[in-house]
Amino acid sequence: MAEVVRTKQEICERVAAARAGGKAIGFVPTMGALHAGHRKLIERSVSENDFTVLSIFVNPTQFGPAEDFDRYPRHLEADVAAAGQAGADLVFAPTAEEMYAADHSTWIDEEKVSEGMCGARRPGHFRGVATVCAKFFNVVRPDRAYFGQKDYQQLRIIERMVRDLDIPVEIRPVETVRGGDGLAVSSRNDYLSPDERQASLAIWRALKQAAALVGGGERSTRAVSDAVRSEIVRDGRLRVEYIEIVDAQTLEPIVPLEGRMVIAVAVYCNHTRLIDNLVVECPKAD
Amino acid sequence: MAEVVRTKQEICERVAAARAGGKAIGFVPTMGALHAGHRKLIERSVSENDFTVLSIFVNPTQFGPAEDFDRYPRHLEADVAAAGQAGADLVFAPTAEEMYAADHSTWIDEEKVSEGMCGARRPGHFRGVATVCAKFFNVVRPDRAYFGQKDYQQLRIIERMVRDLDIPVEIRPVETVRGGDGLAVSSRNDYLSPDERQASLAIWRALKQAAALVGGGERSTRAVSDAVRSEIVRDGRLRVEYIEIVDAQTLEPIVPLEGRMVIAVAVYCNHTRLIDNLVVECPKAD
């Protein structure tokens, strides 16, 4: 079991002591419900730092009013055990009251990278994410922080924020972890029935087919996007929220396809929202 | 002469070296055009810290399109000399390109304390101020930062931001410095002709009269506000932008008057915009 601290002051002091001992600090921010993806983030941090802090905080400000804040999975004890097994030194699990003053009124908005994809469909989501991450960075003051590529837009927004606000932390992306069936590991997969999970495998199939299309020379954004859509909706159990093919760094749309791009999708399976993406490299035309 | 550094990396390294030597770091952010008010900030920092950094940066993002960014006074050499005389150890004078990436897209918004007063009249102003201050705090990483009470709303917004984002810096307010004639010292006083300066003295007279009114038992916000207005407009050369009487901490309007309040005004003398304020304590009614 990793040790758990509950207050900003305590985490700040504990990390300061580690830092004073010459230790490099790694940080893995999570909303708990730890899975193999988080485990990989922790292991990466442990391999690159001397002291790893994991935060567990279901951040209310990044959920919309109609979203799943209330039913988001919470099981702190299991999470703390899993964090310790993966090598985390300390778990920071604050309450919402510890993190936000009742009259909290300061927000961080990234306004470009967050324009499309999830940013367009979840108003206020990335404002909440950026704000809570900046707060965590200021409290923990890590040397490096670890983010999964599965939440691709989040990763790019955090990188942009860190650059724009000169936050002294290095953001380290970590590859998406998939189940044996290909489904990207996510805490929200807990919501899926076995049948729904089976249906959701079309997402990864569609992304791989799209990569093959681009690899085969297809340069039409529309054609690739249509192919992804038809694979996802084929058996009728998934509904597409968006399919976007965008520059892998700026997340701006690219037409026709060239350079390093990400094919990103958000899909509903009944009430469960799933996102996934695949980065594809496509040689520039001469 | 204080030494001048131009890049974020260099200031970061120089301050890190001072910090490693056990020195407490004080920070005074300015737009240059140093005057007695800035001198007081520097002296306060020098008295409370071992190493004082002064920034000189006319921050483009806090000026509106119709404001005085282009004609804002700039005289770096004299400023560096003045900073050194007042005891600053290091001057950080970056270019706009050093401070902002061409595709900068991350902003900090304080949304409560900034609602009224200058925030209501200068859209985007405090967004620019908050963002650049957060950047400076992240680059310099001072123990304490010094802000004049003359820019009262700015001070309260920065305090709120630091609290809300958990920025590890202590904000230290410093009293307004006034000329022998009572006019609050400001870089924008440079714009005033002798005649305009004479006219502008009505601001401080009006604030003192208001304090006397409150001290004498007046509890009507409207009555005090009207008295301030009539003194300011009396000789016809000043135009009131706002007169607000608000809670000294939250900057929310207070009716009737009780507790700790600030009487804050913005006034135009021809094209020159002047602000001033006075904090007044008024015992709570039984």
Side-chain angles (χ1 to χ4, degrees), chain B residues 70-175:
Chain B
D70 287 331
R71 70 173 189 134
Y72 196 87
R74 290 164 171 88
H75 19 73
L76 182 64
E77 209 169 324
D79 285 344
V80 172
Q85 273 159 21
D89 296 282
L90 204 52
V91 171
F92 178 40
T95 62
E97 294 68 31
E98 174 70 10
M99 286 304 290
Y100 292 103
D103 57 351
H104 180 98
S105 59
T106 310
W107 301 99
I108 299 177
D109 285 293
E110 194 293 319
E111 297 189 337
K112 281 289 177 199
V113 185
S114 60
E115 270 184 335
M117 295 168 58
C118 295
R121 279 83 184 180
R122 302 183 69 187
H125 171 64
F126 287 123
R127 154 178 274 212
V129 169
T131 302
V132 84
C133 283
K135 286 167 68 66
F136 278 132
F137 293 157
N138 283 330
V139 170
V140 176
R141 286 177 254 178
D143 297 283
R144 300 179 190 86
Y146 295 80
F147 288 83
Q149 292 197 330
K150 196 257 195 178
D151 299 319
Y152 195 88
Q153 191 176 20
Q154 168 178 281
L155 164 66
R156 290 288 173 244
I157 289 169
I158 296 296
E159 285 175 340
R160 177 63 70 96
M161 170 181 81
V162 161
R163 185 202 71 174
D164 282 353
L165 300 184
D166 300 298
I167 300 176
V169 61
E170 184 188 346
I171 302 302
R172 305 282 283 169
V174 177
E175 319 81 80

Side-chain angles (χ1 to χ4, degrees), chain A residues 5-220:
Chain A
V5 304
R6 294 294 203 160
T7 66
K8 295 189 277 196
Q9 190 183 335
E10 200 177 349
I11 189 76
C12 197
E13 287 168 5
R14 293 293 301 271
V15 177
R19 193 183 301 110
K23 294 186 173 176
I25 313 297
F27 175 55
V28 180
T30 82
M31 299 209 299
L34 299 189
H35 51 56
H38 297 115
R39 207 145 50 229
K40 190 163 176 181
L41 298 176
I42 298 168
E43 287 165 359
R44 189 67 60 87
S45 174
V46 169
S47 76
E48 297 180 350
N49 301 278
D50 310 304
F51 191 86
T52 289
V53 177
L54 177 103
S55 65
I56 296 178
F57 182 60
V58 185
N59 175 34
T61 70
Q62 71 189 67
F63 288 81
E67 292 183 357
D68 58 343
F69 175 69
D70 287 330
R71 70 174 189 133
Y72 196 87
R74 291 164 170 87
H75 19 73
L76 182 64
E77 208 169 323
D79 285 343
V80 172
Q85 273 160 21
D89 296 283
L90 204 54
V91 171
F92 179 41
T95 61
E97 293 68 32
E98 174 69 10
M99 286 304 289
Y100 293 102
D103 57 351
H104 180 98
S105 59
T106 309
W107 301 99
I108 298 177
D109 286 293
E110 194 293 318
E111 296 189 338
K112 281 288 177 200
V113 185
S114 61
E115 271 185 335
M117 295 169 59
C118 296
R121 278 85 185 180
R122 301 182 70 187
H125 170 64
F126 287 123
R127 154 179 275 213
V129 170
T131 302
V132 83
C133 283
K135 286 167 69 66
F136 279 133
F137 294 157
N138 283 330
V139 170
V140 177
R141 287 177 254 178
D143 297 284
R144 301 178 190 84
Y146 296 80
F147 288 83
Q149 292 198 328
K150 196 259 194 176
D151 299 319
Y152 195 88
Q153 191 176 21
Q154 168 178 281
L155 165 66
R156 290 289 173 245
I157 289 169
I158 297 297
E159 287 176 340
R160 176 63 71 95
M161 171 181 80
V162 161
R163 184 202 71 173
D164 282 353
L165 299 184
D166 300 299
I167 300 176
V169 60
E170 184 187 347
I171 302 303
R172 307 281 285 167
V174 177
E175 318 81 79
T176 301
V177 174
R178 298 182 182 282
D181 56 8
L183 188 68
V185 170
S186 164
S187 304
R188 289 190 170 94
N189 295 352
D190 290 7
Y191 301 151
L192 299 173
S193 70
D195 200 53
E196 289 173 330
R197 182 172 180 115
Q198 190 58 38
S200 301
L201 303 182
I203 300 168
W204 179 230
R205 270 203 312 276
L207 289 173
K208 280 189 300 183
Q209 287 174 12
L213 267 178
V214 175
E218 180 60 65
R219 292 294 172 266
S220 159

Side-chain angles (χ1 to χ4, degrees), chain B residues 200-232:
Chain B
S200 301
L201 303 183
I203 301 168
W204 179 230
R205 268 202 313 275
L207 289 172
K208 281 189 301 185
Q209 287 175 12
L213 267 177
V214 175
E218 180 60 66
R219 292 295 172 267
S220 158
T221 308
R222 166 63 76 89
V224 175
S225 173
D226 284 351
V228 171
R229 181 177 307 269
S230 68
E231 178 64 28
I232 288 175

